[in-house]
Amino acid sequence: MKWTIKERTTKKMSEFKAVGEVMITEEQIRARAKEIGAQITEEFKGEDIIVVGILKGALPWMADIIKCIDNENLIMDFMMVSSYGSGTKSSGQVRIVKDLDFVIDGKNVVIIEDIVDSGITLNYLKGYLAQRNAKAVRICTLLDKPTGRKVDLEADYVGFEVPDAFIVGYGLDFDQRYRQLPYISFLKQD
Ligand code: PRP
């Protein structure tokens, strides 16, 4: 599904000065979570699922997705990773800051992310979880920015494809701020 610019439908937040036009509304995100949650439910019918949220950006999207997965054996876990490198771009070296609490041997893992950009983080995590003998590893991302890709990585479940722009909200930050916005917005450049 491609991104579309929508008018702000609800005014739940002040007009933060660095936050620009709304790109994706909360309503659109919730609707997409329902669709993707139903697909994940179907794929893992009768099986276990470990949903692994990648802190911190995945939090709001994960909260939506888990409520839409109809599976009695779903459990949640979290990882936190950081990329070495200068500036805003990944260097290719990923470091685990917080590892899984659960053993995933023989289990189905669904990684939840806010965005796939270069693909470096997810490529690393996919390999790491496969090495730990997960039965299946799927990637479910709210946003996919294919123009940023540096490695060959495709997410299995994508909420919205986004263009090469600096965006914030719904978990995505600028200098750790704006994660709490209940929509995806452009960041003002000035
Ligand atoms: C973001 C995002 C992914 C990664 C994607 O995390 O949540 O983990 O970058 O980028 P890539 O595809 O280029 O590897 P970030 O390091 O900003 O941490 P955060 O979730 O705490 O914001």
Side-chain angles (χ1 to χ4, degrees):
M1 186 183 288
K2 296 277 179 190
W3 65 278
T4 49
I5 296 172
K6 290 272 173 182
E7 289 304 309
R8 197 172 304 222
T9 52
T10 46
K11 268 203 171 184
K12 291 176 186 159
M13 291 278 158
S14 304
E15 298 289 338
F16 297 139
K17 57 180 184 296
V19 177
E21 208 170 356
V22 173
M23 179 192 278
I24 305 166
T25 65
E26 184 173 23
E27 291 77 7
Q28 287 177 301
I29 295 171
R30 292 272 172 88
R32 201 67 190 111
K34 271 191 187 166
E35 290 172 357
I36 292 176
Q39 289 170 14
I40 295 173
T41 301
E42 191 56 35
E43 178 172 3
F44 296 110
K45 218 175 196 165
E47 297 188 44
D48 297 340
I49 308 178
I50 302 185
V51 177
V52 177
I54 311 303
L55 297 169
K56 306 180 177 105
L59 194 80
W61 175 235
M62 183 175 184
D64 288 345
I65 281 288
I66 54 164
K67 288 180 278 188
C68 299
I69 301 175
D70 185 358
N71 183 308
E72 192 172 359
N73 298 313
L74 181 151
I75 63 169
M76 288 161 62
D77 206 341
F78 295 92
M79 287 184 77
M80 192 168 186
V81 296
S82 80
S83 294
Y84 288 114
S86 57
T88 54
K89 296 287 173 194
S90 299
S91 63
Q93 280 184 291
V94 181
R95 180 172 65 99
I96 295 176
V97 177
K98 187 227 168 284
D99 207 340
L100 294 167
D101 291 334
F102 298 119
V103 175
I104 59 165
D105 201 323
K107 308 273 187 189
N108 300 303
V109 176
V110 179
I111 305 173
I112 310 286
E113 262 291 18
D114 53 347
I115 189 163
V116 182
D117 187 354
S118 70
I120 289 169
T121 307
L122 269 299
N123 195 44
Y124 171 85
L125 282 171
K126 212 176 167 182
Y128 178 77
L129 297 175
Q131 255 180 27
R132 293 182 64 163
N133 300 319
K135 182 176 173 192
V137 179
R138 299 284 182 266
I139 296 167
C140 170
T141 185
L142 171 58
L143 305 176
D144 185 13
K145 195 188 275 185
T147 50
R149 215 59 110 245
K150 288 193 182 142
V151 294
D152 187 19
L153 188 279
E154 248 187 79
D156 303 281
Y157 299 102
V158 174
F160 302 88
E161 204 172 283
V162 291
D164 188 20
F166 209 115
I167 49 182
V168 292
Y170 231 87
L172 284 96
D173 72 303
F174 173 63
D175 207 9
Q176 297 301 326
R177 288 181 295 152
Y178 309 124
R179 293 190 198 271
Q180 84 273 33
L181 293 175
Y183 38 76
I184 303 286
S185 263
F186 291 98
L187 188 74
K188 282 185 188 156
Q189 294 302 315
D190 44 332

